[in-house]
Amino acid sequence: MNEALLRSLTPSVIGVLVRRGADFAAAEDAVQDALVEAVRVWPDDQPCDPKGWLVTVAWRRFLDATRAEATRRRREDLVEEEPAPGPAPAADDTLQLYFLCAHPSLTPSSAVALTLRAVGGLTTRQIARAYLVPEATMAQRISRAKRTVSGVRFDQPGDVATVLRVLYLVFNEGYSGDVDLAAEAIRLTRQLAAAIDHPEVAGLLALMLLHHARRATRTAPDGSLVPLAEQDRGRWDTGAISEGVAILQAALARDRLGEFQAQAAVAALHADAPTAGETDWVQIVEWYDELVALTDSPVVRLNRAVAVGEAHGPRAGLTELAALSDSLPRHTAVAAYLHERDGDLPRAARLYADAAHRAPTLAERAHLTRQAARLNAALPR
């Protein structure tokens, strides 16, 4: 990889995007994304025209970001900043569009991807990250889905499970802080819960409310991330927590356990603990066992490793972690945390620094960098 070449091309590529109509900050962000992609792709297949390649990729990144921002702003016009408890407001056609995009002619995964892109306003990269697949793979999936439905009548709505998956992913993307879609996802899930009597719909609504109740404490005034254990629990939204717990209890009483109810149960146990030290980690591990049985998801197994480390000691957590692929997002950050808990500070510091390089967002990168610096400062000189 010719890093000097990339550095030399950066100003001129930014200039091309600005001349095409991008503002400087957006052009700079898009070019940075293109440079990251070049670092990944060029060692195996460097293009004949490096500048042309960078301009093409950066312009696509800029268009994706512009479209996502426009869609986000349209969604924000429909909702207040915070979702209010109680019945759903008068229905609009957004939820119906979710059902129509979940067309029976599509596979569930393709229907979810198409809906997230066409209605949810997420970029191809954001959807790919949610599915743990390369961006190119997701772009092909969405293109195939568009071709599949291009000649069909949208008069056969899809199933509830697909729509729930879409709403869950939209909420998660909003909750991550990249785009503000969390309130919109809650609004639509309230509509769905008012229209359909299903324990998993209730479970998803409870899960969203319990997570959203902590929103105000997830970041410090300077924008830095605040880990769950360090959040000011006195600032959590007790009204949203009470509503979420009540909805969850009613759903669990129907004895038709599903993935979203189990996730909500984990969130409820965190919300119920007066302090981080009083968290019932043993019961959380049991709920993660249920989730593993329901989903067999590697991400669930990663979260379970953390819970095992809290319930039974860091070495037990590291044993669970060793069975998982280190290519999983946040695997390195979890390893750093567990090694720190186990007292191996030099290794934990190295892993935090490595995790920072792999972090998907700037906020996570900054947080992990601070963790590495904190441990390095504590090591003997």
Side-chain angles (χ1 to χ4, degrees):
M1 168 58 59
N2 192 334
E3 295 184 6
L5 174 63
L6 289 177
R7 286 195 298 271
S8 68
L9 290 174
T10 297
S12 60
V13 176
I14 292 175
V16 172
L17 266 63
V18 170
R19 288 193 293 275
R20 289 186 179 183
D23 65 73
F24 185 83
E28 199 172 34
D29 288 344
V31 172
Q32 288 300 318
D33 287 344
L35 293 175
V36 171
E37 184 69 6
V39 170
R40 186 181 70 83
V41 172
W42 285 12
D44 298 321
D45 185 21
Q46 181 164 332
C48 298
D49 180 8
K51 180 179 177 180
W53 188 98
L54 287 170
V55 168
T56 299
V57 174
W59 185 247
R60 288 174 181 167
R61 293 289 193 273
F62 167 74
L63 292 178
D64 277 349
T66 302
R67 290 165 183 156
E69 176 66 13
T71 302
R72 179 185 68 80
R73 290 185 181 278
R74 288 197 297 271
R75 292 288 177 265
E76 286 183 342
D77 289 340
L78 299 175
V79 294
E80 296 178 353
E81 183 178 354
E82 295 294 331
D92 57 28
D93 62 354
T94 308
L95 190 58
Q96 182 64 19
L97 288 174
Y98 274 63
F99 272 96
L100 291 177
C101 283
H103 196 273
S105 63
L106 296 172
T107 63
S109 61
S110 294
V112 170
L114 177 62
T115 313
L116 290 171
R117 189 72 182 90
V119 187
L122 303 189
T123 66
T124 302
R125 185 192 311 175
Q126 290 166 334
I127 302 168
R129 190 172 66 218
Y131 271 92
L132 308 181
V133 299
E135 183 177 350
T137 300
M138 184 54 65
Q140 293 173 355
R141 185 180 299 176
I142 293 172
S143 295
R144 285 196 299 268
K146 290 178 179 177
R147 288 195 298 270
T148 299
V149 301
S150 61
V152 302
R153 289 173 56 87
F154 278 87
D155 55 3
Q156 301 179 64
D159 68 335
V160 175
T162 300
V163 174
L164 285 178
R165 178 61 52 185
V166 174
L167 290 169
Y168 173 70
L169 291 173
V170 169
F171 177 82
N172 278 351
E173 193 60 49
Y175 195 64
S176 76
D178 292 335
V179 286
D180 188 13
L181 291 171
E184 169 70 350
I186 292 175
R187 184 183 73 86
L188 293 174
T189 307
R190 285 192 186 281
Q191 285 188 12
L192 190 59
I196 299 177
D197 182 21
H198 191 290
E200 272 294 81
V201 177
L204 179 57
L205 179 56
L207 174 63
M208 290 178 175
L209 290 170
L210 288 164
H211 277 300
H212 208 65
R214 304 199 302 261
R215 180 175 184 173
T217 63
R218 293 185 68 248
T219 55
D222 63 0
S224 59
L225 293 181
V226 180
L228 175 60
E230 299 172 18
Q231 290 173 15
D232 180 359
R233 297 178 182 230
R235 295 177 57 213
W236 287 358
D237 185 342
T238 55
I241 291 173
S242 296
E243 184 185 9
V245 169
I247 292 171
L248 173 62
Q249 289 174 337
L252 291 175
R254 300 175 67 173
D255 199 23
R256 291 166 56 193
L257 183 64
E259 173 188 355
F260 297 124
Q261 295 169 74
Q263 286 195 50
V266 172
L269 286 167
H270 283 297
D272 186 56
T275 65
E278 295 173 88
T279 304
D280 189 345
W281 286 106
V282 172
Q283 193 172 165
I284 287 176
V285 171
E286 292 173 357
W287 278 112
Y288 273 125
D289 289 340
E290 297 282 0
L291 271 170
V292 168
L294 288 165
T295 69
D296 196 29
S297 162
V299 175
V300 170
R301 292 182 181 275
L302 183 66
N303 290 333
R304 181 182 178 277
V306 176
V308 168
E310 298 288 356
H312 305 298
R315 293 196 180 182
L318 287 167
T319 299
E320 297 291 333
L321 190 65
L324 303 175
S325 169
D326 60 8
S327 65
L328 276 173
R330 300 182 176 87
H331 182 285
T332 308
V334 170
Y337 173 73
L338 291 173
H339 278 293
E340 180 184 358
R341 291 269 328 276
D342 195 40
D344 190 347
L345 301 190
R347 186 171 185 180
R350 290 193 300 271
L351 287 168
Y352 275 129
D354 188 18
H357 288 297
R358 306 183 187 193
T361 67
L362 288 175
E364 286 185 56
R365 187 178 309 158
H367 171 72
L368 292 166
T369 300
R370 284 193 297 272
Q371 297 295 88
R374 173 179 57 82
L375 292 188
N376 282 322
L379 294 175
R381 300 298 180 184

